[in-house]
Amino acid sequence: MLHGIREGVIAFDPRGRIRLVNDEAARLLGLDTDMTDDDLDAVMPAGRTADVLAGRVEGADLLTVSGGRVLVVNRMPTADGGAVVSLRDRTEVELLGRELDSTQGLLEALRAQGHEHANRLHTVLGLLELRRYEQAAAFVTHAVGDHRSSAEEIAERVHDPLVSALLVGKAVVAAERAVELRVCARTRLPDRLVAPRDLVTVLGNLIDNALDAAAEKRGAGPFVEVELRAEGTTVLLHVSDTGPGIPPAAREAVFTEGYSTKSPARTGSHPQTAPARGPLPHGRGIGLSLVRRLAERYGGTARVTARPGGGAVFLVTLPEMIMPTPEAAELPGAALSTAGGTR
């Protein structure tokens, strides 16, 4: 019966040894169903997933990421001192939720644009009623030119349509929050991405995180700056903000599943002190972990450091994210280099 259900189940004896792994748990965690009498720490890599399974992290409906899958874990002690752990795959729900977040972001961008256009139309109407036709024409020309130049500037530097559309939409959302979204002059990205949706996921999470941080810290001229560059087949991504920054002691923990110190009353998303306890709402404490997991899936890295002048800089490398040009693919050894990339 346990091997037939669609929920992962692992049973432990009082000494912490594995007594049962059903088929679904083996699939979700990459384990063998016959590894009874094995110690958990001997078959699982160190990290949050192992800590949650072993009961070193307490709570109900704990989120963790294993092999790119988002899992919900619950552990129940048994009368003999052992424990039974259940695993539910939340990956598809998480992906759907993030697509919903992207759609919501687009709606917010459209709403902000509609509000902005309404204000401009009122201004034009006022100028026309005052018979200041030349000023009205100049105002329209200037307003249209600003929006077009911003979108064209992004499109000239970022040739992938999904990534450039994300940047244009996020720029509108940033303006609505009184934060300037800058695209670094060094940004250059060709239209040869292996998986543009993965890059959109990474970039969208980092920009949202940076916008929250920049909007949280009060001050003059808050901004978020994005730099996207291609070096061979590797994408280099830097997202910096003028927010409160991240203390050195927390710079590794921010990429841990479930790590968040945001309270419901706060809008900032940079953790400051300690991991959140208990179950987390959707989207809380999981975005940066997915960023790192996606980077590691491509054999890359994700880290954070301090920005000169205050704030944080997230640096992500995504090897083998760009398809080589036909000329490069014909060079000796190019095929071996591409085939050897970590995915």
Side-chain angles (χ1 to χ4, degrees), residues 103-137:
T103 304
Q104 183 66 31
L106 178 59
L107 291 175
E108 290 179 1
L110 293 174
R111 180 182 57 80
Q113 283 185 334
H115 186 266
E116 180 183 8
H117 293 332
N119 287 335
R120 289 175 176 176
L121 285 174
H122 293 156
T123 303
V124 171
L125 178 61
L127 290 172
L128 292 177
E129 290 182 348
L130 294 173
R131 299 177 182 272
R132 297 183 178 182
Y133 305 120
E134 293 183 0
Q135 290 91 331

Side-chain angles (χ1 to χ4, degrees), residues 36-170:
T36 56
D37 293 328
D38 286 336
D39 185 79
L40 176 68
D41 292 328
V43 298
M44 286 286 298
R48 175 176 169 83
T49 300
D51 290 340
V52 169
L53 294 177
R56 292 188 285 267
V57 178
E58 297 181 355
D61 292 335
L62 295 175
L63 289 179
T64 185
V65 178
S66 178
R69 293 185 177 277
V70 181
L71 306 178
V72 180
V73 183
N74 283 283
R75 178 184 170 98
M76 177 181 294
T78 56
D80 63 352
V84 175
V85 177
S86 64
L87 308 165
R88 284 175 287 151
D89 190 353
R90 188 172 154 175
T91 307
E92 296 299 327
V93 175
E94 191 70 23
L95 292 176
L96 289 174
R98 296 199 173 277
E99 289 186 7
L100 180 60
D101 289 343
S102 299
T103 304
Q104 183 66 31
L106 178 59
L107 291 175
E108 290 179 1
L110 293 174
R111 180 182 57 80
Q113 283 185 334
H115 186 266
E116 180 183 8
H117 293 332
N119 287 335
R120 289 175 176 176
L121 285 174
H122 293 156
T123 303
V124 171
L125 178 61
L127 290 172
L128 292 177
E129 290 182 348
L130 294 173
R131 299 177 182 272
R132 297 183 178 182
Y133 305 120
E134 293 183 0
Q135 290 91 331
F139 178 81
V140 171
T141 302
H142 178 73
V144 173
D146 283 347
H147 178 74
R148 180 178 299 171
S149 62
S150 175
E152 288 180 351
E153 181 182 4
I154 292 175
E156 287 175 359
R157 296 177 181 176
V158 180
H159 294 168
D160 183 85
L162 287 181
V163 180
S164 60
L166 174 71
L167 289 172
V168 171
K170 292 297 184 185

